[in-house]
Amino acid sequence: MNKIVGGLVALCVTAMPFLANAEDVKIGAKGFTENILAGEITQQYLASKGIGATLTSGLGSNVVRQGLVSGQMDLYWEYTGPALVNYHKTPGIPRAQMLAKLNELDAPNGIEWLDSSDVNDTYALAVRRETAKAKGLRTTSDLAAAVSRGEKITFGCNAEFYGRKDGLMPMQEAYGFSFPRADIVRMDSGLVYQALRDGQVDVGLVFSTDGRIPAFDFVLLEDDRQYHIAQVMTPVATKAALEAHPQLKPLLKDISSRLNEEVMANLNAQVDVEKKTIPEVASEFLKSSGLVN
């Protein structure tokens, strides 16, 4: 391998290259609007404080997680409940105890979970307002009853939810119903909203803080059996990065303390509905929240 001038190092997570100055903070982000926004906000804010940072976005959950565990990445924004279920096989932890449990479980990995935001971006089931009225759907139990009595209801979701351990099949078991296989349409998460709006599906799996929910006048079904676990958006960093950059922890707290579900839904809508760029929305948020001048 040729020597890389200027202290650049090549990093690789499952064959994906990352290039950054050795002293730069390496930030990862998953492949959906909210998580990329959080990463972009972080990168811009650190830069405003004189901390070099690079952002690699569009990564799968397992890729970005393994990047952190291996030390090839310094930080990213993760979600509490899914992390407990998918990375630690530890379901059933109450929301109030999740952060402490995650720090306990990730201590051997050299990873620290920092101050959480007030964004609980959990999975939710959405329907068009007219569908909710026509079929009498207010709760997921109402949906289960309608499917069980033979009503034709198509469901759109992403492939990950279809197969994951806290996904579709366990949800159906919890509510005592089952969509016929022919009535389940798997698609990219972002396409679910359009398919639901256009009537291609009757029920869609959405993220509760997505800005397209109010923009498209969707109704969220109440999760009356509280199946969906809390997914509180939280910055996660390696202990090595926190030691190398003592400013990181308070700076990340600056960001997380200003994010709640209403704020996040508005930021998401600016990207997904108003079609602003993610860097533009991140910059405007930092200014409006008083984090930068």
Side-chain angles (χ1 to χ4, degrees):
M1 179 181 294
N2 293 332
K3 183 176 180 181
I4 303 176
V5 181
L8 294 180
V9 294
L11 302 166
C12 180
V13 176
T14 62
M16 184 171 291
F18 300 92
L19 293 176
N21 288 319
E23 68 273 14
D24 281 354
V25 175
K26 298 176 289 295
I27 305 167
K30 302 186 184 187
F32 55 94
T33 298
E34 177 174 284
N35 208 256
I36 300 172
L37 264 170
E40 180 70 28
I41 288 168
T42 303
Q43 190 275 329
Q44 289 191 23
Y45 188 45
L46 295 185
S48 76
K49 299 299 182 180
I51 301 173
T54 58
L55 172 64
T56 304
S57 59
L59 305 176
S61 295
N62 290 331
V63 172
V64 71
R65 166 71 182 183
Q66 286 306 310
L68 197 71
V69 170
S70 67
Q72 296 171 316
M73 193 165 291
D74 295 318
L75 71 92
Y76 76 107
W77 291 76
E78 185 55 275
Y79 299 84
T80 52
L84 283 164
V85 172
N86 296 316
Y87 306 142
H88 296 293
K89 316 303 180 190
T90 309
I93 306 298
R95 176 175 174 174
Q97 299 172 22
M98 284 182 172
L99 201 61
K101 188 64 176 178
L102 282 162
N103 270 313
E104 173 192 331
L105 293 170
D106 263 336
N109 295 319
I111 291 171
E112 184 170 346
W113 289 71
L114 306 177
D115 292 287
S116 295
S117 71
D118 284 330
V119 178
N120 179 24
D121 186 9
T122 188
Y123 279 128
L125 301 184
V127 297
R128 295 182 299 280
R129 189 167 298 277
E130 58 268 27
T131 302
K133 291 179 179 178
K135 296 185 178 294
L137 301 180
R138 186 182 62 83
T139 68
T140 305
S141 288
D142 293 335
L143 172 65
V147 172
S148 296
R149 63 176 174 259
E151 291 197 33
K152 174 75 172 178
I153 298 176
T154 54
F155 176 63
C157 70
N158 59 41
E160 183 178 3
F161 185 76
Y162 182 87
R164 62 190 284 169
K165 293 174 180 157
D166 59 343
L168 176 60
M169 303 309 170
M171 184 194 76
Q172 292 180 134
E173 291 175 5
Y175 278 95
F177 80 110
S178 181
F179 285 109
R181 185 178 295 272
D183 292 340
I184 301 172
V185 184
R186 284 176 280 179
M187 63 188 77
D188 181 80
S189 294
L191 297 179
V192 172
Y193 300 86
Q194 181 178 336
L196 183 60
R197 181 195 63 185
D198 296 345
Q200 296 170 355
V201 295
D202 300 308
V203 181
L205 178 78
V206 299
F207 293 104
S208 59
T209 59
D210 197 289
R212 287 167 288 191
I213 294 169
F216 296 161
D217 196 29
F218 293 158
V219 173
L220 294 182
L221 300 182
E222 178 189 346
D223 181 18
D224 50 310
R225 295 191 181 179
Q226 298 182 334
Y227 170 76
H228 296 293
I229 57 177
Q231 302 194 46
V232 182
M233 193 171 75
T234 305
V236 188
T238 65
K239 293 184 184 296
L242 295 174
E243 291 171 1
H245 302 276
Q247 319 98 303
L248 269 183
K249 190 177 292 189
L251 292 177
L252 289 167
K253 185 175 181 178
D254 286 345
I255 298 171
S256 61
S257 66
R258 287 165 171 80
L259 292 175
N260 58 39
E261 291 171 24
E262 182 180 359
V263 168
M264 200 74 242
N266 178 264
L267 296 176
N268 290 334
Q270 289 182 52
V271 175
D272 293 326
V273 180
E274 299 174 28
K275 302 305 179 183
K276 294 182 179 180
T277 68
I278 285 178
E280 177 186 8
V281 173
S283 177
E284 291 175 354
F285 165 77
L286 289 169
K287 292 174 183 176
S288 65
S289 63
L291 289 175
V292 301
N293 296 325

